[in-house]
Amino acid sequence: MATVVYPGSFDPITNGHADLIERAARLFGQVIVGIARNISKQPLFSLDERIDLVRAVVGQLPNVRVMPIDGLLVDFVASQNAQVILRGLRAVSDFEYEFQLATMNRHLRPQVETIFLTPAEQHSFISSSLVKEVARFGGDVSVFLHPAVAAALRARIAAA
């Protein structure tokens, strides 16, 4: 069965992300969750913290690995002998950017396919950015996060 890479910053991982990872684990022989360093963003959690949080959420899935990504995604995909990139689409507004990424990745490495999954309806409006913003203003975001992630987010915001 094919190996798929699900890349993202996962800052933090939400239930929407977890939903896609769990579904990918049923569809593919191996799922690699690639945590991007993403130098263009200012993450709330360090790379190591994000890796640990993702592992806490999906670590029970035997065919899922969590790894950092440095450099171009398609190079990472090739280094892992993966054939597919998984991207999530929450809304039509995500499509234009994701289409550009998929097209560039296909140009760089034509043998790698990009597929899109939509999250379950109850997760379709959740984004890490929105969760962080609501949490910073004291809103309860625990329904959108695994309990370990919610606790880490509360602690990080309280310390800030």
Side-chain angles (χ1 to χ4, degrees):
M1 289 184 71
T3 297
V4 65
V5 173
Y6 179 34
S9 56
F10 302 98
D11 185 43
I13 183 172
T14 68
N15 290 343
H17 295 129
D19 173 55
L20 293 185
I21 295 166
E22 290 166 6
R23 289 170 46 217
R26 292 191 305 265
L27 296 170
F28 293 92
Q30 180 164 252
V31 178
I32 300 170
V33 180
I35 312 292
R37 290 187 191 279
N38 207 338
I39 58 174
S40 66
K41 291 184 178 180
Q42 295 291 338
L44 184 62
F45 293 99
S46 72
L47 179 64
D48 289 338
E49 289 170 325
R50 289 180 281 144
I51 289 170
D52 290 344
L53 289 171
V54 172
R55 285 181 177 149
V57 174
V58 298
Q60 80 286 359
L61 299 171
N63 62 332
V64 174
R65 290 188 295 142
V66 183
M67 302 175 66
I69 296 177
D70 263 326
L72 287 175
L73 173 59
V74 291
D75 292 342
F76 176 79
V77 169
S79 76
Q80 299 303 309
N81 296 314
Q83 302 78 29
V84 181
I85 298 169
L86 169 64
R87 298 295 293 172
L89 291 176
R90 292 174 305 219
V92 173
S93 58
D94 289 343
F95 181 76
E96 185 173 349
Y97 176 71
E98 293 296 341
F99 180 76
Q100 290 173 351
L101 288 179
T103 303
M104 178 59 78
N105 288 334
R106 186 171 34 253
H107 172 77
L108 294 171
R109 217 171 271 272
Q111 63 275 30
V112 174
E113 293 294 335
T114 299
I115 66 163
F116 300 99
L117 288 177
T118 58
E121 295 79 24
Q122 68 267 29
H123 305 304
S124 63
F125 64 94
I126 301 170
S127 72
S128 295
S129 299
L130 182 58
V131 165
K132 288 185 293 191
E133 184 175 342
V134 170
R136 283 185 178 117
F137 286 101
D140 179 11
V141 293
S142 60
V143 69
F144 309 122
L145 304 169
H146 182 280
V149 177
L153 181 59
R154 279 192 302 275
R156 180 57 43 93
I157 288 172

